Amino acid sequence: MELLDGRLVKKEILNKLKEEVAHLDRSPGLVVVQVGEDPASNVYVGQKEKMAKELGYQYSHVKLVSDVTQEKIEEVIDGLNADETVDGIIVQMPLPKQLDTKRIQNLIRVDKDVDGLSDMNAGKLIHNEDALMPCTPKGIMDILEYYQIDVEGKNVVIVGRSDLVGKPLAAMMLNKNATVTVCHSKTVNLAHYTKQADILVAAVGKKNIITPDMVKDGAVIIDVGINRIDGKLYGDVDFEGVKDKVSYITPVPGGVGQMTVAELAKNVLKAYHNIEK
Amino acid sequence: MELLDGRLVKKEILNKLKEEVAHLDRSPGLVVVQVGEDPASNVYVGQKEKMAKELGYQYSHVKLVSDVTQEKIEEVIDGLNADETVDGIIVQMPLPKQLDTKRIQNLIRVDKDVDGLSDMNAGKLIHNEDALMPCTPKGIMDILEYYQIDVEGKNVVIVGRSDLVGKPLAAMMLNKNATVTVCHSKTVNLAHYTKQADILVAAVGKKNIITPDMVKDGAVIIDVGINRIDGKLYGDVDFEGVKDKVSYITPVPGGVGQMTVAELAKNVLKAYHNIEK
């Protein structure tokens, strides 16, 4: 078994980006819009800020009060859409209930939507066109590429169908010629599918939902789960149980989770180039 | 074995629509834009016109010369987008090479895009939001619903990944809680997947690509293929070979192909209601 080391792939990506950014005329601009003071959101926003500063991006953080109105946040986004120094806009999720999350995600200019969550970017992805794509599934594709694991013709089984991971990953895998199966909470006999997977992706958010009997010998396992229990992190896969029968596996932590910020950094640079064109 | 009779379902849909349209203040307006004189396109456009007249839709046919410029066709679409009497716009495919098909499809107003081929409507569909959806896969869902074949939890295998059928159908099936596998030309061992399907959809365009050994006993077979050979129509499925082992099957002709125009009629009415709102 070989570990798929997200930290290593992340470092590679960030080093390459840093070098590229150093040669640009203008620093790519990233703005994170945060509503309220959710502690988890604070951590994620902090990671983005750290990445941006490390790469020499122009970073700003717009903090809105937790009872901000829809009108006000739309005004903020309109301003950022029009601002020529801003290449990428992120609205940190989740948003408080008074706000229309979907509408806000779709208000961000398509070419500044570096989280790739808008309907438009999702449509471009499924149509296999150039798009800004969601960061976590993009990170999975980059880990596989780094380790030269070809997906063409492979039986790829994705467990979980979120707009953030499962669905966009299915599109990316299909665009790379994998045969793709999407399983979820309504799937009957989950193990029947997972046991056949050459590449098995678990993106459910439930500790140990993938047990050794559900995994084919020699499979590649991508564990997207981040389950915090009593202060410890667990994936969706019973790592100890499966590690001796698989060919590759992403650890938790240190696997897919590492990639999200690196992919965001890539998206910001992509947005920069699209806008500069 | 029971035949899934597309003609019957189509008739039901059109009768219901006709009644509904009779009570509207204004006739829903459909415009078909056709470039050149492709004989197959002439047939398809004729079917749409016939449907529109039957239902009492306001129909018009914009015919452009085959060497029309991109600028000119964009001007036409801009005009139709702005026209309040036009609810649905179709640009008949395929377009000649000098035209940017993707750009034209995405130029149609999202709420008038009754073919559902724009990136925006594809994104809404994959995000399980209200969308105008492509007609052929929508027709498949309606046939299944008519015959009360529930897809939730079923193993649905779709062979073919076109933007017109395979991909949007995968999204529709996933939204209805099926477990969905998408196979295609790069799939290794196609029969391995098709043999497990509770519901098998063949949308390849190759006569007899699905043979009896590739089909599970009691499966539901949806044949989207329309292959014209020596003036005769064939599906993608070896109908004679599989008919005695399956529970349901769509004939060719008389199956899925019947549904496309009926679903277009539904989309036009949906667009009408969205615009009238």
mmCIF file of all heavy atoms in Angstrom, chain B residues 194-240:
data_model
loop_
_atom_site.group_PDB
_atom_site.id
_atom_site.type_symbol
_atom_site.label_atom_id
_atom_site.label_comp_id
_atom_site.label_asym_id
_atom_site.label_seq_id
_atom_site.Cartn_x
_atom_site.Cartn_y
_atom_site.Cartn_z
ATOM 1 N N THR B 194 -23.929 -3.573 -17.676
ATOM 2 C CA THR B 194 -25.311 -3.653 -18.156
ATOM 3 C C THR B 194 -26.045 -4.849 -17.543
ATOM 4 O O THR B 194 -27.243 -4.758 -17.269
ATOM 5 C CB THR B 194 -25.363 -3.759 -19.698
ATOM 6 O OG1 THR B 194 -24.650 -4.931 -20.105
ATOM 7 C CG2 THR B 194 -24.755 -2.540 -20.361
ATOM 8 N N LYS B 195 -25.314 -5.923 -17.290
ATOM 9 C CA LYS B 195 -25.925 -7.142 -16.733
ATOM 10 C C LYS B 195 -26.468 -6.933 -15.329
ATOM 11 O O LYS B 195 -27.262 -7.728 -14.839
ATOM 12 C CB LYS B 195 -24.876 -8.263 -16.673
ATOM 13 C CG LYS B 195 -24.885 -9.156 -17.895
ATOM 14 C CD LYS B 195 -24.067 -10.408 -17.659
ATOM 15 C CE LYS B 195 -22.582 -10.124 -17.827
ATOM 16 N NZ LYS B 195 -21.757 -11.328 -17.976
ATOM 17 N N GLN B 196 -25.986 -5.893 -14.654
ATOM 18 C CA GLN B 196 -26.426 -5.633 -13.285
ATOM 19 C C GLN B 196 -27.581 -4.636 -13.227
ATOM 20 O O GLN B 196 -28.112 -4.361 -12.151
ATOM 21 C CB GLN B 196 -25.257 -5.083 -12.473
ATOM 22 C CG GLN B 196 -24.097 -6.044 -12.368
ATOM 23 C CD GLN B 196 -22.941 -5.454 -11.570
ATOM 24 O OE1 GLN B 196 -23.157 -4.767 -10.572
ATOM 25 N NE2 GLN B 196 -21.731 -5.701 -12.010
ATOM 26 N N ALA B 197 -27.935 -4.066 -14.364
ATOM 27 C CA ALA B 197 -28.892 -2.958 -14.365
ATOM 28 C C ALA B 197 -30.320 -3.417 -14.084
ATOM 29 O O ALA B 197 -30.823 -4.330 -14.741
ATOM 30 C CB ALA B 197 -28.839 -2.228 -15.701
ATOM 31 N N ASP B 198 -30.970 -2.750 -13.136
ATOM 32 C CA ASP B 198 -32.422 -2.896 -12.993
ATOM 33 C C ASP B 198 -33.117 -2.138 -14.123
ATOM 34 O O ASP B 198 -34.141 -2.578 -14.644
ATOM 35 C CB ASP B 198 -32.897 -2.308 -11.662
ATOM 36 C CG ASP B 198 -32.256 -2.983 -10.463
ATOM 37 O OD1 ASP B 198 -32.133 -4.220 -10.478
ATOM 38 O OD2 ASP B 198 -31.860 -2.266 -9.509
ATOM 39 N N ILE B 199 -32.554 -0.976 -14.433
ATOM 40 C CA ILE B 199 -33.066 -0.171 -15.546
ATOM 41 C C ILE B 199 -31.872 0.133 -16.452
ATOM 42 O O ILE B 199 -30.884 0.722 -16.003
ATOM 43 C CB ILE B 199 -33.704 1.142 -15.038
ATOM 44 C CG1 ILE B 199 -34.880 0.832 -14.100
ATOM 45 C CG2 ILE B 199 -34.150 2.023 -16.215
ATOM 46 C CD1 ILE B 199 -35.510 2.056 -13.444
ATOM 47 N N LEU B 200 -31.951 -0.315 -17.677
ATOM 48 C CA LEU B 200 -30.841 -0.142 -18.613
ATOM 49 C C LEU B 200 -31.262 0.816 -19.721
ATOM 50 O O LEU B 200 -32.276 0.587 -20.384
ATOM 51 C CB LEU B 200 -30.454 -1.497 -19.217
ATOM 52 C CG LEU B 200 -29.371 -1.482 -20.304
ATOM 53 C CD1 LEU B 200 -28.064 -0.899 -19.790
ATOM 54 C CD2 LEU B 200 -29.141 -2.906 -20.832
ATOM 55 N N VAL B 201 -30.482 1.876 -19.892
ATOM 56 C CA VAL B 201 -30.784 2.873 -20.911
ATOM 57 C C VAL B 201 -29.683 2.834 -21.969
ATOM 58 O O VAL B 201 -28.503 3.023 -21.643
ATOM 59 C CB VAL B 201 -30.865 4.287 -20.308
ATOM 60 C CG1 VAL B 201 -31.234 5.303 -21.389
ATOM 61 C CG2 VAL B 201 -31.859 4.332 -19.150
ATOM 62 N N ALA B 202 -30.052 2.586 -23.209
ATOM 63 C CA ALA B 202 -29.073 2.556 -24.293
ATOM 64 C C ALA B 202 -29.254 3.797 -25.150
ATOM 65 O O ALA B 202 -30.296 3.983 -25.767
ATOM 66 C CB ALA B 202 -29.254 1.301 -25.129
ATOM 67 N N ALA B 203 -28.248 4.651 -25.151
ATOM 68 C CA ALA B 203 -28.311 5.910 -25.905
ATOM 69 C C ALA B 203 -26.991 6.113 -26.620
ATOM 70 O O ALA B 203 -26.243 7.045 -26.353
ATOM 71 C CB ALA B 203 -28.608 7.075 -24.963
ATOM 72 N N VAL B 204 -26.719 5.198 -27.530
ATOM 73 C CA VAL B 204 -25.415 5.162 -28.197
ATOM 74 C C VAL B 204 -25.550 5.539 -29.667
ATOM 75 O O VAL B 204 -24.753 6.323 -30.201
ATOM 76 C CB VAL B 204 -24.797 3.750 -28.084
ATOM 77 C CG1 VAL B 204 -23.479 3.677 -28.848
ATOM 78 C CG2 VAL B 204 -24.586 3.372 -26.619
ATOM 79 N N GLY B 205 -26.572 4.995 -30.320
ATOM 80 C CA GLY B 205 -26.704 5.212 -31.767
ATOM 81 C C GLY B 205 -26.005 4.133 -32.561
ATOM 82 O O GLY B 205 -25.371 4.424 -33.584
ATOM 83 N N LYS B 206 -26.089 2.908 -32.104
ATOM 84 C CA LYS B 206 -25.454 1.776 -32.801
ATOM 85 C C LYS B 206 -26.406 0.599 -32.706
ATOM 86 O O LYS B 206 -26.731 0.142 -31.608
ATOM 87 C CB LYS B 206 -24.141 1.448 -32.083
ATOM 88 C CG LYS B 206 -22.994 1.133 -33.022
ATOM 89 C CD LYS B 206 -21.757 0.824 -32.203
ATOM 90 C CE LYS B 206 -20.486 1.396 -32.812
ATOM 91 N NZ LYS B 206 -19.357 1.330 -31.875
ATOM 92 N N LYS B 207 -26.835 0.089 -33.860
ATOM 93 C CA LYS B 207 -27.796 -1.017 -33.882
ATOM 94 C C LYS B 207 -27.253 -2.220 -33.110
ATOM 95 O O LYS B 207 -26.087 -2.604 -33.279
ATOM 96 C CB LYS B 207 -28.060 -1.406 -35.353
ATOM 97 C CG LYS B 207 -29.110 -2.482 -35.507
ATOM 98 C CD LYS B 207 -29.202 -2.965 -36.963
ATOM 99 C CE LYS B 207 -29.985 -4.276 -37.019
ATOM 100 N NZ LYS B 207 -29.926 -4.927 -38.329
ATOM 101 N N ASN B 208 -28.104 -2.797 -32.291
ATOM 102 C CA ASN B 208 -27.789 -4.050 -31.581
ATOM 103 C C ASN B 208 -26.541 -3.994 -30.711
ATOM 104 O O ASN B 208 -25.899 -5.016 -30.488
ATOM 105 C CB ASN B 208 -27.624 -5.207 -32.572
ATOM 106 C CG ASN B 208 -28.964 -5.665 -33.115
ATOM 107 O OD1 ASN B 208 -30.015 -5.142 -32.686
ATOM 108 N ND2 ASN B 208 -28.949 -6.609 -34.027
ATOM 109 N N ILE B 209 -26.203 -2.823 -30.175
ATOM 110 C CA ILE B 209 -25.053 -2.792 -29.268
ATOM 111 C C ILE B 209 -25.400 -3.508 -27.957
ATOM 112 O O ILE B 209 -24.528 -4.031 -27.267
ATOM 113 C CB ILE B 209 -24.529 -1.352 -29.034
ATOM 114 C CG1 ILE B 209 -23.189 -1.400 -28.278
ATOM 115 C CG2 ILE B 209 -25.517 -0.485 -28.302
ATOM 116 C CD1 ILE B 209 -22.496 -0.058 -28.157
ATOM 117 N N ILE B 210 -26.697 -3.583 -27.628
ATOM 118 C CA ILE B 210 -27.123 -4.323 -26.432
ATOM 119 C C ILE B 210 -27.723 -5.657 -26.877
ATOM 120 O O ILE B 210 -28.787 -5.709 -27.493
ATOM 121 C CB ILE B 210 -28.145 -3.522 -25.607
ATOM 122 C CG1 ILE B 210 -27.580 -2.151 -25.209
ATOM 123 C CG2 ILE B 210 -28.586 -4.313 -24.371
ATOM 124 C CD1 ILE B 210 -26.380 -2.159 -24.303
ATOM 125 N N THR B 211 -27.030 -6.731 -26.530
ATOM 126 C CA THR B 211 -27.441 -8.083 -26.918
ATOM 127 C C THR B 211 -28.018 -8.815 -25.696
ATOM 128 O O THR B 211 -27.833 -8.360 -24.556
ATOM 129 C CB THR B 211 -26.228 -8.838 -27.488
ATOM 130 O OG1 THR B 211 -25.119 -8.648 -26.593
ATOM 131 C CG2 THR B 211 -25.836 -8.294 -28.853
ATOM 132 N N PRO B 212 -28.732 -9.922 -25.931
ATOM 133 C CA PRO B 212 -29.437 -10.584 -24.822
ATOM 134 C C PRO B 212 -28.534 -10.960 -23.637
ATOM 135 O O PRO B 212 -28.952 -10.855 -22.481
ATOM 136 C CB PRO B 212 -30.017 -11.840 -25.485
ATOM 137 C CG PRO B 212 -30.169 -11.472 -26.927
ATOM 138 C CD PRO B 212 -29.054 -10.539 -27.231
ATOM 139 N N ASP B 213 -27.304 -11.372 -23.905
ATOM 140 C CA ASP B 213 -26.395 -11.764 -22.819
ATOM 141 C C ASP B 213 -25.985 -10.576 -21.949
ATOM 142 O O ASP B 213 -25.385 -10.754 -20.895
ATOM 143 C CB ASP B 213 -25.135 -12.409 -23.422
ATOM 144 C CG ASP B 213 -24.457 -11.480 -24.423
ATOM 145 O OD1 ASP B 213 -25.135 -11.030 -25.377
ATOM 146 O OD2 ASP B 213 -23.264 -11.165 -24.241
ATOM 147 N N MET B 214 -26.286 -9.363 -22.375
ATOM 148 C CA MET B 214 -25.883 -8.169 -21.617
ATOM 149 C C MET B 214 -27.001 -7.657 -20.717
ATOM 150 O O MET B 214 -26.859 -6.599 -20.097
ATOM 151 C CB MET B 214 -25.486 -7.060 -22.593
ATOM 152 C CG MET B 214 -24.258 -7.401 -23.413
ATOM 153 S SD MET B 214 -24.014 -6.218 -24.759
ATOM 154 C CE MET B 214 -23.399 -4.791 -23.851
ATOM 155 N N VAL B 215 -28.091 -8.393 -20.669
ATOM 156 C CA VAL B 215 -29.289 -7.886 -19.994
ATOM 157 C C VAL B 215 -29.703 -8.836 -18.876
ATOM 158 O O VAL B 215 -29.694 -10.052 -19.041
ATOM 159 C CB VAL B 215 -30.426 -7.751 -21.039
ATOM 160 C CG1 VAL B 215 -31.762 -7.480 -20.380
ATOM 161 C CG2 VAL B 215 -30.081 -6.666 -22.052
ATOM 162 N N LYS B 216 -30.054 -8.264 -17.724
ATOM 163 C CA LYS B 216 -30.504 -9.058 -16.584
ATOM 164 C C LYS B 216 -31.954 -9.493 -16.785
ATOM 165 O O LYS B 216 -32.764 -8.733 -17.339
ATOM 166 C CB LYS B 216 -30.389 -8.195 -15.318
ATOM 167 C CG LYS B 216 -30.674 -8.922 -14.023
ATOM 168 C CD LYS B 216 -30.235 -8.100 -12.820
ATOM 169 C CE LYS B 216 -31.313 -7.111 -12.404
ATOM 170 N NZ LYS B 216 -30.987 -6.496 -11.080
ATOM 171 N N ASP B 217 -32.299 -10.677 -16.320
ATOM 172 C CA ASP B 217 -33.700 -11.123 -16.376
ATOM 173 C C ASP B 217 -34.585 -10.134 -15.626
ATOM 174 O O ASP B 217 -34.278 -9.752 -14.492
ATOM 175 C CB ASP B 217 -33.852 -12.503 -15.709
ATOM 176 C CG ASP B 217 -33.362 -13.627 -16.616
ATOM 177 O OD1 ASP B 217 -33.129 -13.366 -17.815
ATOM 178 O OD2 ASP B 217 -33.176 -14.749 -16.108
ATOM 179 N N GLY B 218 -35.661 -9.739 -16.237
ATOM 180 C CA GLY B 218 -36.616 -8.871 -15.550
ATOM 181 C C GLY B 218 -36.263 -7.397 -15.576
ATOM 182 O O GLY B 218 -36.964 -6.574 -14.978
ATOM 183 N N ALA B 219 -35.201 -7.041 -16.274
ATOM 184 C CA ALA B 219 -34.792 -5.632 -16.323
ATOM 185 C C ALA B 219 -35.799 -4.786 -17.103
ATOM 186 O O ALA B 219 -36.614 -5.310 -17.875
ATOM 187 C CB ALA B 219 -33.411 -5.508 -16.963
ATOM 188 N N VAL B 220 -35.716 -3.480 -16.877
ATOM 189 C CA VAL B 220 -36.478 -2.505 -17.671
ATOM 190 C C VAL B 220 -35.513 -1.935 -18.712
ATOM 191 O O VAL B 220 -34.429 -1.473 -18.359
ATOM 192 C CB VAL B 220 -37.009 -1.365 -16.775
ATOM 193 C CG1 VAL B 220 -37.689 -0.286 -17.622
ATOM 194 C CG2 VAL B 220 -37.938 -1.909 -15.711
ATOM 195 N N ILE B 221 -35.916 -1.971 -19.978
ATOM 196 C CA ILE B 221 -35.008 -1.536 -21.050
ATOM 197 C C ILE B 221 -35.554 -0.293 -21.731
ATOM 198 O O ILE B 221 -36.672 -0.303 -22.248
ATOM 199 C CB ILE B 221 -34.827 -2.643 -22.115
ATOM 200 C CG1 ILE B 221 -34.459 -3.982 -21.468
ATOM 201 C CG2 ILE B 221 -33.783 -2.218 -23.152
ATOM 202 C CD1 ILE B 221 -33.110 -4.043 -20.843
ATOM 203 N N ILE B 222 -34.742 0.746 -21.749
ATOM 204 C CA ILE B 222 -35.097 1.985 -22.433
ATOM 205 C C ILE B 222 -34.139 2.145 -23.610
ATOM 206 O O ILE B 222 -32.933 2.289 -23.427
ATOM 207 C CB ILE B 222 -34.943 3.203 -21.487
ATOM 208 C CG1 ILE B 222 -35.720 3.003 -20.185
ATOM 209 C CG2 ILE B 222 -35.334 4.492 -22.209
ATOM 210 C CD1 ILE B 222 -37.217 3.021 -20.334
ATOM 211 N N ASP B 223 -34.706 2.131 -24.791
ATOM 212 C CA ASP B 223 -33.888 2.164 -26.011
ATOM 213 C C ASP B 223 -34.022 3.525 -26.678
ATOM 214 O O ASP B 223 -35.066 3.859 -27.235
ATOM 215 C CB ASP B 223 -34.365 1.052 -26.959
ATOM 216 C CG ASP B 223 -33.413 0.840 -28.118
ATOM 217 O OD1 ASP B 223 -32.536 1.700 -28.344
ATOM 218 O OD2 ASP B 223 -33.544 -0.203 -28.791
ATOM 219 N N VAL B 224 -32.958 4.315 -26.607
ATOM 220 C CA VAL B 224 -32.991 5.673 -27.152
ATOM 221 C C VAL B 224 -32.458 5.713 -28.587
ATOM 222 O O VAL B 224 -32.560 6.719 -29.277
ATOM 223 C CB VAL B 224 -32.196 6.641 -26.243
ATOM 224 C CG1 VAL B 224 -32.432 8.092 -26.621
ATOM 225 C CG2 VAL B 224 -32.569 6.445 -24.773
ATOM 226 N N GLY B 225 -31.896 4.608 -29.037
ATOM 227 C CA GLY B 225 -31.274 4.586 -30.363
ATOM 228 C C GLY B 225 -32.279 4.774 -31.483
ATOM 229 O O GLY B 225 -33.410 4.271 -31.425
ATOM 230 N N ILE B 226 -31.894 5.546 -32.473
ATOM 231 C CA ILE B 226 -32.690 5.671 -33.705
ATOM 232 C C ILE B 226 -31.710 5.490 -34.848
ATOM 233 O O ILE B 226 -31.025 6.425 -35.254
ATOM 234 C CB ILE B 226 -33.387 7.046 -33.807
ATOM 235 C CG1 ILE B 226 -34.347 7.247 -32.632
ATOM 236 C CG2 ILE B 226 -34.131 7.166 -35.134
ATOM 237 C CD1 ILE B 226 -35.183 8.508 -32.713
ATOM 238 N N ASN B 227 -31.603 4.258 -35.321
ATOM 239 C CA ASN B 227 -30.624 3.947 -36.361
ATOM 240 C C ASN B 227 -31.364 3.562 -37.631
ATOM 241 O O ASN B 227 -32.102 2.580 -37.648
ATOM 242 C CB ASN B 227 -29.731 2.794 -35.890
ATOM 243 C CG ASN B 227 -29.114 3.072 -34.526
ATOM 244 O OD1 ASN B 227 -28.321 3.994 -34.379
ATOM 245 N ND2 ASN B 227 -29.501 2.292 -33.514
ATOM 246 N N ARG B 228 -31.184 4.371 -38.668
ATOM 247 C CA ARG B 228 -31.890 4.139 -39.919
ATOM 248 C C ARG B 228 -30.977 3.353 -40.861
ATOM 249 O O ARG B 228 -29.910 3.822 -41.237
ATOM 250 C CB ARG B 228 -32.274 5.483 -40.547
ATOM 251 C CG ARG B 228 -33.381 5.398 -41.581
ATOM 252 C CD ARG B 228 -33.745 6.794 -42.086
ATOM 253 N NE ARG B 228 -34.280 7.637 -41.022
ATOM 254 C CZ ARG B 228 -35.575 7.713 -40.706
ATOM 255 N NH1 ARG B 228 -36.463 6.999 -41.383
ATOM 256 N NH2 ARG B 228 -35.976 8.502 -39.737
ATOM 257 N N ILE B 229 -31.375 2.142 -41.173
ATOM 258 C CA ILE B 229 -30.554 1.295 -42.052
ATOM 259 C C ILE B 229 -31.446 0.769 -43.167
ATOM 260 O O ILE B 229 -32.465 0.106 -42.900
ATOM 261 C CB ILE B 229 -29.917 0.139 -41.246
ATOM 262 C CG1 ILE B 229 -28.934 0.723 -40.206
ATOM 263 C CG2 ILE B 229 -29.178 -0.828 -42.175
ATOM 264 C CD1 ILE B 229 -28.536 -0.231 -39.120
ATOM 265 N N ASP B 230 -31.057 1.092 -44.402
ATOM 266 C CA ASP B 230 -31.857 0.716 -45.573
ATOM 267 C C ASP B 230 -33.323 1.110 -45.396
ATOM 268 O O ASP B 230 -34.236 0.308 -45.663
ATOM 269 C CB ASP B 230 -31.758 -0.798 -45.839
ATOM 270 C CG ASP B 230 -30.321 -1.213 -46.171
ATOM 271 O OD1 ASP B 230 -29.595 -0.371 -46.733
ATOM 272 O OD2 ASP B 230 -29.947 -2.354 -45.861
ATOM 273 N N GLY B 231 -33.536 2.303 -44.897
ATOM 274 C CA GLY B 231 -34.889 2.821 -44.779
ATOM 275 C C GLY B 231 -35.679 2.261 -43.600
ATOM 276 O O GLY B 231 -36.825 2.646 -43.389
ATOM 277 N N LYS B 232 -35.065 1.370 -42.825
ATOM 278 C CA LYS B 232 -35.774 0.828 -41.658
ATOM 279 C C LYS B 232 -35.166 1.381 -40.371
ATOM 280 O O LYS B 232 -33.971 1.647 -40.299
ATOM 281 C CB LYS B 232 -35.669 -0.713 -41.656
ATOM 282 C CG LYS B 232 -37.016 -1.402 -41.899
ATOM 283 C CD LYS B 232 -36.999 -2.882 -41.502
ATOM 284 C CE LYS B 232 -37.566 -3.124 -40.127
ATOM 285 N NZ LYS B 232 -37.565 -4.544 -39.745
ATOM 286 N N LEU B 233 -35.999 1.536 -39.347
ATOM 287 C CA LEU B 233 -35.514 2.060 -38.069
ATOM 288 C C LEU B 233 -35.153 0.926 -37.111
ATOM 289 O O LEU B 233 -35.918 -0.022 -36.937
ATOM 290 C CB LEU B 233 -36.595 2.904 -37.399
ATOM 291 C CG LEU B 233 -36.748 4.353 -37.859
ATOM 292 C CD1 LEU B 233 -37.680 5.085 -36.902
ATOM 293 C CD2 LEU B 233 -35.396 5.049 -37.917
ATOM 294 N N TYR B 234 -34.005 1.059 -36.484
ATOM 295 C CA TYR B 234 -33.591 0.116 -35.445
ATOM 296 C C TYR B 234 -33.165 0.890 -34.202
ATOM 297 O O TYR B 234 -32.640 1.991 -34.301
ATOM 298 C CB TYR B 234 -32.401 -0.727 -35.927
ATOM 299 C CG TYR B 234 -32.692 -1.567 -37.145
ATOM 300 C CD1 TYR B 234 -32.491 -1.054 -38.419
ATOM 301 C CD2 TYR B 234 -33.170 -2.869 -37.009
ATOM 302 C CE1 TYR B 234 -32.763 -1.819 -39.541
ATOM 303 C CE2 TYR B 234 -33.447 -3.642 -38.138
ATOM 304 C CZ TYR B 234 -33.240 -3.117 -39.401
ATOM 305 O OH TYR B 234 -33.505 -3.870 -40.502
ATOM 306 N N GLY B 235 -33.348 0.277 -33.055
ATOM 307 C CA GLY B 235 -32.833 0.856 -31.817
ATOM 308 C C GLY B 235 -31.407 0.394 -31.551
ATOM 309 O O GLY B 235 -30.752 -0.183 -32.425
ATOM 310 N N ASP B 236 -30.940 0.649 -30.326
ATOM 311 C CA ASP B 236 -29.609 0.181 -29.917
ATOM 312 C C ASP B 236 -29.674 -1.220 -29.312
ATOM 313 O O ASP B 236 -28.640 -1.821 -29.027
ATOM 314 C CB ASP B 236 -29.028 1.120 -28.842
ATOM 315 C CG ASP B 236 -28.630 2.476 -29.403
ATOM 316 O OD1 ASP B 236 -28.587 2.621 -30.641
ATOM 317 O OD2 ASP B 236 -28.342 3.379 -28.596
ATOM 318 N N VAL B 237 -30.895 -1.694 -29.079
ATOM 319 C CA VAL B 237 -31.081 -2.953 -28.372
ATOM 320 C C VAL B 237 -31.582 -4.020 -29.347
ATOM 321 O O VAL B 237 -32.436 -3.741 -30.190
ATOM 322 C CB VAL B 237 -32.102 -2.776 -27.225
ATOM 323 C CG1 VAL B 237 -32.338 -4.092 -26.486
ATOM 324 C CG2 VAL B 237 -31.647 -1.677 -26.261
ATOM 325 N N ASP B 238 -31.076 -5.203 -29.245
ATOM 326 C CA ASP B 238 -31.581 -6.338 -30.030
ATOM 327 C C ASP B 238 -32.944 -6.734 -29.444
ATOM 328 O O ASP B 238 -33.054 -7.606 -28.587
ATOM 329 C CB ASP B 238 -30.576 -7.497 -29.925
ATOM 330 C CG ASP B 238 -31.113 -8.773 -30.567
ATOM 331 O OD1 ASP B 238 -32.221 -8.757 -31.144
ATOM 332 O OD2 ASP B 238 -30.413 -9.797 -30.456
ATOM 333 N N PHE B 239 -33.958 -6.034 -29.916
ATOM 334 C CA PHE B 239 -35.309 -6.159 -29.358
ATOM 335 C C PHE B 239 -35.799 -7.609 -29.367
ATOM 336 O O PHE B 239 -36.248 -8.132 -28.344
ATOM 337 C CB PHE B 239 -36.265 -5.267 -30.154
ATOM 338 C CG PHE B 239 -37.665 -5.223 -29.615
ATOM 339 C CD1 PHE B 239 -38.033 -4.281 -28.682
ATOM 340 C CD2 PHE B 239 -38.623 -6.142 -30.047
ATOM 341 C CE1 PHE B 239 -39.332 -4.244 -28.174
ATOM 342 C CE2 PHE B 239 -39.922 -6.120 -29.541
ATOM 343 C CZ PHE B 239 -40.269 -5.166 -28.610
ATOM 344 N N GLU B 240 -35.689 -8.253 -30.523
ATOM 345 C CA GLU B 240 -36.197 -9.636 -30.634
ATOM 346 C C GLU B 240 -35.480 -10.557 -29.651
ATOM 347 O O GLU B 240 -36.089 -11.434 -29.049
ATOM 348 C CB GLU B 240 -36.023 -10.151 -32.073
ATOM 349 C CG GLU B 240 -37.008 -9.533 -33.066
ATOM 350 C CD GLU B 240 -38.464 -9.720 -32.642
ATOM 351 O OE1 GLU B 240 -38.816 -10.820 -32.178
ATOM 352 O OE2 GLU B 240 -39.250 -8.742 -32.746
#
